[in-house]
Amino acid sequence: MHSYDVIIIGAGPAGMHAAQALASRGQQVALIDDNPAAGGQIWRGVNNHATQSARAALHSPLITTYYQTRVIATLAAQQLLVETPNDAHLLHYRHLVIASGARELLLPVAGWTLPGVTGIGGLQALVKAGMPITGKRVVIAGTGPLIWPVAAFLRTHGAHIVAIAEQQSLPRLVRFGLHLARYPGKLWQAMSYATQLIGVPFWHDSHVIAISGTTHSTGVRIQRGEHQFQLACDYVALGHHLVPNLDIAQSLGCATTPTAITTTDLLATTIPHVYAIGEARGIGGLDCAIAEGHLVAAVICQDASASAQWHQRVQTERRIATAIAATFTPPHLPPLAADTIVCRCEDVSHGQLQHAPDWRTAKLQQRCGMGPCQGRICGAATQHLYGWGPDAVRPPLRPARVATLALLHAISPTAE
Amino acid sequence: MATITVFINNHPYTCDAGNSVAGAIAQAHQQLVTTRQSVHGMPRTAVCGMGICFECRVTINSNAHQLACQTPVATGMQITYEETGYA
Amino acid sequence: MSQSHVIIIGGGIVGCACAQRLAATGWRVTLIERDTIGSGATAAGMGQIVALDDSPAEFALTADSQRRWHALGQANPLVHEYTPCGTIWVASDDEELAMAAAKVPNYHAAGLHAELLDAAALYRHEPNLRPGLPGGLRIAGDAVVYPSRSADWLWQQTGGTLIHAAVTAIHAGGVTLADGRHLHADAVVLATGSRTRDLVPALPIRPKKGHLVITDRYPGFIHHQVAEMGYVKNAHLADVDSVAFNVQPRATGQILIGSCRQYDIHTPEVDPVMLGQMLQRCLEFMPALATLSSLRVWTGYRAATPDGQPLIGPHPHQPGLWLATGHEGLGITTSLGTADLLAALMNHTTPAINPTPYLPSRFFPAP
Ligand SMILES: Cc1cc2nc3c(=O)[nH]c(=O)nc-3n(C[C@H](O)[C@@H](O)[C@H](O)COP(=O)(O)OP(=O)(O)OC[C@H]3O[C@@H](n4cnc5c(N)ncnc54)[C@H](O)[C@@H]3O)c2cc1C
Ligand SMILES: Cc1cc2nc3c(=O)[nH]c(=O)nc-3n(C[C@H](O)[C@H](O)[C@H](O)COP(=O)(O)OP(=O)(O)OC[C@H]3O[C@@H](n4cnc5c(N)ncnc54)[C@H](O)[C@@H]3O)c2cc1C
Ligand code: FES
């Protein structure tokens, strides 16, 4: 078994900065991420000064990186079972930092299973990974601050943004803009996106009613106030803001709310030796994630002055986060047709689910949530549509090879 | 950028070394294409791009159910999925 | 004559099967279930329909039930996900192969198919088994179902009343619910599986915990339920924890992997060491499982009795209370035979098989 002073789960900006700040204080660190490289969602494939220096800082003899590595189980006695592409390992930690980030909330709408319909962040990730976008017509719809940077990114890469349909009302968006104006850095960023998107139709109070196509999305129907529009397009990018990844924390027994891992001001969760930073602590954005990465290192190393300094920073960033959360509230969905698929893995439709009394019955009788995503997509949807509570989290936290789980025969159930 | 050759349903294809399997398949077809049939036979492909939705599953080097969006391409990699005749 | 009214406590596969038989023979049925129909052990069980010849009593009930499932499954294969895949019991050495050979005449005498496989035949059927095994026993009449949906379907046939509540007490002529309501009936059937002692503490039932793993879809990976001969030996082994190789092809193409047994553990959490040992055992028999993707792990409780047979029939000291519980690791299979026995006893008609080995009175000293 490999043992580390600190294991960090998630190599996004929060985890990367935590790793670097811990290593600079002499800690042996393991940094785990299921992606092939560090960067998380926002820095995926981005090459600028900030990302280059953050990546360079990971080249430390004190940092061991585990990429393409999934945490499969959290175990007694501060152990983790992780799976790499060809192997599995048991890792031991003295401190654990959860920097597991967030995922996009994807909600069902007629036609959303057609190839060509992706998440908003999803489309960006696919393009960064090689998918051609030049000359493609894209409609971006949903809600959340992710819409603008992604739209700007896609346009810079040659996409034709047909329209952006934001569900929130104009007054709400204006209030958010005014709030941002208090933070010059954020305002500047927003302005730069706006400049890049000049000429792109932006519609507020709008949402997708249906996506058309037989084997690929070819168009989308949008409700804008009282009116409906049909737009032709190649891709529809949908997203309803972000939801934090809470499963690792829940598996450890940490208290969580639906939108965050519960922590103290100094990032400690309710379980000893376990900390949470970045989006997993509540959606807070890039600068917040970076500040919390530094703060957690200072806290773990009991560096009081650095803690005080970074704590200040984190407080400021979290105030912006609160404004974001208040603006981009989960949307109201248009009523679904009975044949709209809700559980994509098992093809379970709204009609099969709408009269089920609860998640467990829907699962047992209709197989809803039984597929490989294990409710990561449909669980959020059924919570939204029917108010069903989520499943208890248990191992494997991600689908895992049988051989990986078999490794558990060798663990000592209690301790060292 | 450096390029490498992979095999997509047995056809050699040269793509950027930094691509994911999902990106390489899309590049080969100049668009996202159906790479999976759902349990009721509907066309599906990558959605979330980040390892959550499991819609992008393909067979890589004979291992079924690998996530195309989370797997970087490698020289000589055999990528297969059922071709359905869908675009 | 007005219709007699029966209250059934527990909407697992056994309670639902009894409800269906009793309704079909003229009873008005009320089912009380605390969770949802087909939860409990029924939602956890492998759903193998298996004829087992380890004791005459077990053989009689499982063989009778196997035939009933065949009829039900053939009529409605989609509802039950009925897959007549058969079982292959794998012998790990010549001694086990000799045991297998000795079983063949038993099955034939009962009118069931059974076929001894030599090594070549074994690998023709299941090429993913590890090399070097001497052979096995194939029981073609065994099958696989999806128990939760079968339970729901059986319940739907009754036209009865479902009450979503927990029973807190059984009294003469009825039951008390958690909200204080009293319900009355001519008869009460207790079908609460591993939770039986909550309501009748004197019954000799202990929970035996098991773990299962389900994989993604790999159609054609295996063709039969495949289990080691040692399974039965291990399963009935006295009070020690045990694991055995036991894999099942689901109608979906998924592979369901078991099995293990732990006594008197009441917490539902996955026990990582037990899970690891179980899978390690399975990999010894079928190394190709190693790279399959496992989606989910869960646990469930079998309701074990001291002699391994269920309790079916009247409670000897509580008139009006009937028992249908204690089905251990075979309750999906034996639910249909149980329902026929219980209904015959309650209706004073002749059951298909001799009810004596299952009567609860065997655990009560004669007054
Ligand atoms: C034949 C068959 C095939 C199946 N196929 C699939 C499949 O393809 N995919 C799939 O996902 N599932 C599958 N299942 C399992 C299915 O999810 C459930 O049927 C099973 O009962 C486990 O329940 P659950 O996972 O829904 O547990 P939950 O609903 O999470 O829990 C079950 C009960 O246990 C309690 N509980 C509390 N804490 C724990 C804990 N730590 N661990 C366990 N239970 C706890 C819960 O409160 C609840 O009452 C299959 C089951 C069967 C019988
Ligand atoms: C891991 C595992 C694998 C198995 N594999 C197989 C197999 O392959 N083949 C096979 O034939 N069998 C198998 N079994 C055994 C089988 O699952 C059980 O024997 C069978 O499901 C028992 O059904 P039941 O209706 O008696 O109990 P349950 O399904 O447990 O039903 C009892 C019901 O009673 C309800 N209840 C309990 N107390 C109260 C109360 N006070 N008030 C109201 N409701 C109450 C519960 O909520 C539950 O729904 C397996 C079991 C396990 C655990
Ligand atoms: S696209 Fe969602 S997991 Fe790969």
Side-chain angles (χ1 to χ4, degrees):
Chain A
M1 172 162 21
H2 303 281
S3 203
Y4 298 94
D5 293 323
V6 186
I7 293 180
I8 302 167
I9 303 174
M16 290 166 85
H17 280 89
Q20 169 250 309
L22 283 159
S24 73
R25 289 178 173 87
Q27 302 285 304
Q28 285 277 358
V29 179
L31 181 61
I32 301 176
D33 200 295
D34 60 345
N35 286 283
Q41 300 315 335
I42 187 157
W43 281 351
R44 186 191 296 270
V46 175
N47 258 319
N48 59 28
H49 177 67
T51 63
Q52 277 162 4
S53 73
R55 282 197 195 103
L58 297 180
H59 295 292
S60 151
L62 289 174
I63 300 175
T64 311
T65 53
Y66 291 85
Y67 297 135
Q68 282 188 282
T69 300
R70 300 172 178 174
V71 176
I72 303 303
T74 62
L75 303 164
Q78 295 168 237
Q79 300 171 85
L80 299 177
L81 174 66
V82 302
E83 184 180 272
T84 61
N86 300 306
D87 211 351
H89 306 280
L90 288 165
L91 307 180
H92 174 266
Y93 56 85
R94 286 202 301 122
H95 301 279
L96 182 68
V97 176
I98 302 175
S100 51
R103 59 181 189 270
E104 235 170 332
L105 176 61
L106 296 174
L107 295 172
V109 63
W112 75 311
T113 60
L114 282 167
V117 182
T118 65
I120 295 176
L123 186 58
Q124 184 184 37
L126 288 164
V127 169
K128 287 179 179 175
M131 174 188 158
I133 197 72
T134 309
K136 304 287 184 193
R137 298 162 302 166
V138 182
V139 172
I140 301 177
T143 191
L146 203 58
I147 286 182
W148 294 306
V150 174
F153 166 89
L154 293 172
R155 199 174 199 213
T156 326
H157 285 74
H160 169 54
I161 310 291
V162 179
I164 296 174
E166 161 64 76
Q167 297 200 330
Q168 309 299 342
S169 67
L170 192 57
R172 193 183 268 249
L173 294 168
V174 167
R175 259 201 314 279
F176 176 65
L178 290 175
H179 185 91
L180 273 196
R182 285 190 245 155
Y183 308 93
K186 311 282 172 196
L187 188 64
W188 172 245
Q189 199 175 37
M191 301 281 284
S192 96
Y193 295 143
T195 326
Q196 291 171 62
L197 291 170
I198 284 170
V200 172
F202 174 82
W203 300 342
H204 51 84
D205 291 294
S206 302
H207 58 256
V208 173
I209 305 174
I211 297 155
S212 46
T214 48
T215 59
H216 198 279
S217 56
T218 52
V220 56
R221 193 152 193 84
I222 290 185
Q223 177 98 35
R224 183 187 182 192
E226 304 284 282
H227 305 282
Q228 289 195 2
F229 296 86
Q230 178 73 28
L231 302 174
C233 63
D234 304 304
Y235 293 106
V236 184
L238 294 177
H240 297 101
H241 202 22
L242 301 170
V243 282
N245 292 320
L246 302 176
D247 51 353
I248 291 166
Q250 287 168 340
S251 154
L252 285 157
C254 302
T256 59
T257 68
T259 54
I261 301 171
T262 305
T263 57
T264 62
D265 271 3
L266 294 179
L267 312 175
T269 69
T270 55
I271 298 292
H273 313 294
V274 180
Y275 303 82
I277 60 175
E279 308 286 54
R281 207 185 153 227
I283 305 307
L286 175 62
D287 297 327
C288 181
I290 293 174
E292 288 179 355
H294 285 284
L295 177 58
V296 80
V299 168
I300 287 174
C301 298
Q302 299 178 335
D303 179 338
S305 75
S307 291
Q309 179 203 333
W310 286 109
H311 179 246
Q312 277 287 320
R313 238 339 249 295
V314 166
Q315 295 300 93
T316 312
E317 293 296 338
R318 283 283 164 196
R319 277 196 290 276
I320 304 173
T322 310
I324 294 179
T327 307
F328 301 103
T329 52
H332 64 95
L333 283 178
L336 290 185
D339 65 352
T340 302
I341 297 292
V342 173
C343 167
R344 305 172 62 115
C345 294
E346 297 290 331
D347 278 352
V348 189
S349 67
H350 175 58
Q352 288 170 284
L353 295 174
Q354 58 185 335
H355 301 301
D358 52 41
W359 168 258
R360 189 159 157 77
T361 307
K363 191 169 164 178
L364 289 178
Q365 300 301 336
Q366 311 290 354
R367 296 191 54 83
C368 181
M370 278 204 186
C373 100
Q374 284 287 305
R376 279 187 181 73
I377 302 291
C378 64
T382 56
Q383 180 149 32
H384 203 80
L385 287 165
Y386 319 117
W388 295 343
D391 254 348
V393 171
R394 77 176 74 127
L397 296 174
R398 292 295 175 89
R401 289 187 297 272
V402 170
T404 299
L405 295 178
L407 195 65
L408 292 171
H409 82 276
I411 62 167
S412 66
T414 39
E416 305 283 88
Chain B
M1 188 184 267
T3 59
I4 57 168
T5 300
V6 298
F7 295 86
I8 300 179
N9 285 337
N10 298 319
H11 298 296
Y13 179 72
T14 302
C15 63
D16 294 342
N19 284 358
S20 72
V21 169
I25 298 172
Q27 228 174 52
H29 293 88
Q30 284 304 304
Q31 63 168 338
L32 274 189
V33 292
T34 298
T35 46
R36 187 175 90 79
Q37 279 200 64
S38 74
V39 302
H40 291 167
M42 295 179 226
R44 300 285 169 80
T45 196
V47 175
C48 73
M50 53 186 77
I52 304 291
C53 71
F54 283 72
E55 288 282 27
C56 65
R57 281 170 289 155
V58 296
T59 298
I60 299 178
N61 296 337
S62 303
N63 285 318
H65 305 303
Q66 306 301 305
L67 295 186
C69 75
Q70 293 295 88
T71 311
V73 289
T75 301
M77 184 181 258
Q78 296 278 350
I79 302 161
T80 54
Y81 54 87
E82 206 184 326
E83 290 196 86
T84 54
Y86 297 137
Chain C
M1 195 183 93
S2 83
Q3 218 182 2
S4 299
H5 176 210
V6 60
I7 288 176
I8 298 175
I9 314 171
I13 190 88
V14 172
C16 292
C18 291
Q20 189 261 340
R21 273 313 285 158
L22 288 168
T25 55
W27 291 77
R28 180 163 71 82
V29 180
T30 299
L31 180 64
I32 308 176
E33 168 55 53
R34 65 195 303 158
D35 189 350
T36 177
I37 296 271
S39 54
T42 300
M46 268 192 143
Q48 183 194 14
I49 304 306
V50 53
L52 276 184
D53 75 335
D54 292 304
S55 70
E58 187 166 88
F59 199 28
L61 187 57
T62 54
D64 174 67
S65 298
Q66 192 219 58
R67 288 195 191 91
R68 291 174 192 276
W69 273 109
H70 185 71
L72 204 63
Q74 294 289 349
N76 257 316
L78 288 183
V79 168
H80 304 285
E81 285 186 18
Y82 183 80
T83 322
C85 57
T87 304
I88 289 180
W89 297 99
V90 178
S92 39
D93 52 32
D94 291 337
E95 190 191 333
E96 287 189 356
L97 193 62
M99 274 168 57
K103 285 170 177 289
V104 172
N106 286 349
Y107 281 89
H108 289 171
L112 298 181
H113 165 278
E115 176 194 0
L116 192 67
L117 305 176
D118 61 12
L122 180 68
Y123 292 111
R124 210 162 40 242
H125 283 299
E126 298 298 345
N128 275 319
L129 282 165
R130 74 144 195 263
L133 294 163
L137 176 69
R138 177 165 173 264
I139 310 293
D142 286 354
V144 166
V145 298
Y146 181 52
S148 291
R149 216 177 274 154
S150 293
D152 191 55
W153 183 88
L154 287 162
W155 170 245
Q156 298 301 332
Q157 310 309 303
T158 64
T161 307
L162 175 64
I163 296 179
H164 185 219
V167 172
T168 50
I170 302 172
H171 50 79
V175 301
T176 307
L177 303 184
D179 62 10
R181 268 186 294 165
H182 297 290
L183 301 181
H184 301 281
D186 303 297
V188 173
V189 174
L190 183 64
T192 49
S194 66
R195 311 204 44 159
T196 295
R197 289 172 90 167
D198 294 358
L199 295 173
V200 187
L203 291 175
I205 287 185
R206 291 162 71 188
K208 244 195 220 178
K209 184 173 173 178
H211 287 68
L212 290 175
V213 176
I214 190 95
T215 71
D216 208 326
R217 295 167 190 242
Y218 299 90
F221 182 81
I222 48 173
H223 308 278
H224 299 75
Q225 178 108 18
V226 189
E228 59 175 301
M229 287 281 293
Y231 169 81
V232 178
K233 201 165 58 191
N234 289 343
H236 292 291
L237 219 59
D239 294 6
V240 295
D241 294 355
S242 65
V243 295
F245 163 63
N246 189 350
V247 292
Q248 177 185 85
R250 299 294 313 163
T252 52
Q254 294 171 285
I255 314 295
L256 186 47
I257 307 174
S259 64
C260 65
R261 285 173 151 76
Q262 291 169 288
Y263 266 108
D264 295 324
I265 302 211
H266 300 266
T267 50
E269 282 76 20
V270 170
D271 175 340
V273 177
M274 201 69 200
L275 173 66
Q277 287 172 352
M278 177 180 101
L279 293 175
Q280 197 66 25
R281 182 79 183 169
C282 293
L283 288 173
E284 285 166 22
F285 279 86
M286 198 167 264
L289 288 168
T291 57
L292 304 197
S293 172
S294 9
L295 301 184
R296 193 167 179 87
V297 176
W298 66 90
T299 63
Y301 305 100
R302 309 167 182 93
T305 62
D307 62 1
Q309 301 313 314
L311 302 176
I312 307 168
H315 188 291
H317 307 319
Q318 283 177 246
L321 176 61
W322 298 79
L323 306 180
T325 181
H327 290 75
E328 222 278 0
L330 290 171
I332 309 298
T333 305
T334 54
S335 58
L336 297 185
T338 296
D340 182 76
L341 275 177
L342 187 82
L345 293 168
M346 290 175 71
N347 294 328
H348 309 290
T349 57
T350 311
I353 61 171
N354 175 10
T356 312
Y358 324 104
L359 291 175
S361 55
R362 69 188 189 280
F363 292 115
F364 291 81

